Amino acid sequence: MTEPTAKPPSTTFTAGLGHSLAYLLSKAERSVNRGLAAVLATEQLSVEQWRILQALADGRGHSMGDLAEAALMPHPTLTKAVDRLVDRALVYRGHDPSDRRRVAVFLADRGRSLLHRLEGGLAEHHRAILAAFGAERTESLMRDLESLVTGLER
């Protein structure tokens, strides 16, 4: 008696998950972030730390609460990440310009320089996504995801 041919474990195990939007979004995020993490590794920066720096790039300074939301991080994790960025002199804490009683986080000149150094690698990462998925489909996907987030947050 011969044994039935088994499917590879990854397709057998994930077959049901493949019908889950949450699963597919997470899988897509991992694929996109893998390439992003490789670019950021050249500057010993995590994806989460990059999000923080990007959020601060507007030059206005932001509260920890605003940063947690922008960087998609829980507060305790954000605090540790900001502490590491402060240690590297990439960001600094100061008074919130709109309320001097509150503390805000600002992008330091060194952090701005780091973001500029990453621009080429980030642009290449984006080009790789466009090559794999197509420019129109990528733009459409981004619009659809923004609409999904807006709809779910109502």
Side-chain angles (χ1 to χ4, degrees):
M1 186 166 159
T2 60
E3 291 185 32
T5 306
K7 290 183 183 178
S10 61
T11 57
T12 301
F13 185 69
T14 61
L17 290 171
H19 296 289
S20 165
L21 178 60
Y23 174 78
L24 291 172
L25 287 172
S26 294
K27 192 171 180 179
E29 179 199 19
R30 283 180 181 229
S31 295
V32 169
N33 279 348
R34 194 174 306 120
L36 179 59
V39 171
L40 300 175
T42 63
E43 294 287 345
Q44 293 82 47
L45 204 64
S46 70
V47 171
E48 293 78 14
Q49 289 171 325
W50 171 76
R51 286 186 195 139
I52 294 166
L53 296 178
Q54 282 296 130
L56 295 172
D58 64 8
R60 295 191 335 237
H62 294 278
S63 70
M64 291 296 279
D66 290 344
L67 276 180
E69 188 174 325
L72 309 173
M73 298 173 74
H75 284 269
T77 306
L78 174 74
T79 299
K80 290 175 188 172
V82 169
D83 288 346
R84 285 187 201 104
L85 294 171
V86 167
D87 290 346
R88 291 180 61 188
L90 299 173
V91 304
Y92 63 94
R93 291 181 174 95
H95 291 290
D96 187 328
S98 63
D99 183 349
R100 306 268 311 151
R101 297 169 295 174
R102 294 178 51 188
V103 172
V105 181
F106 298 86
L107 184 65
D109 290 340
R110 192 169 174 177
R112 191 169 308 285
S113 294
L114 184 147
L115 287 176
H116 287 298
R117 286 194 307 273
L118 288 169
E119 284 177 359
L122 294 171
E124 182 58 36
H125 175 253
H126 186 70
R127 282 191 294 273
I129 292 170
L130 296 178
F133 196 61
E136 284 182 39
R137 290 175 66 199
T138 300
E139 289 297 321
S140 177
L141 176 62
M142 290 174 67
R143 282 191 306 274
D144 289 346
L145 289 172
E146 286 176 3
S147 294
L148 175 63
V149 169
T150 300
L152 292 174
E153 289 181 348
R154 284 190 201 140

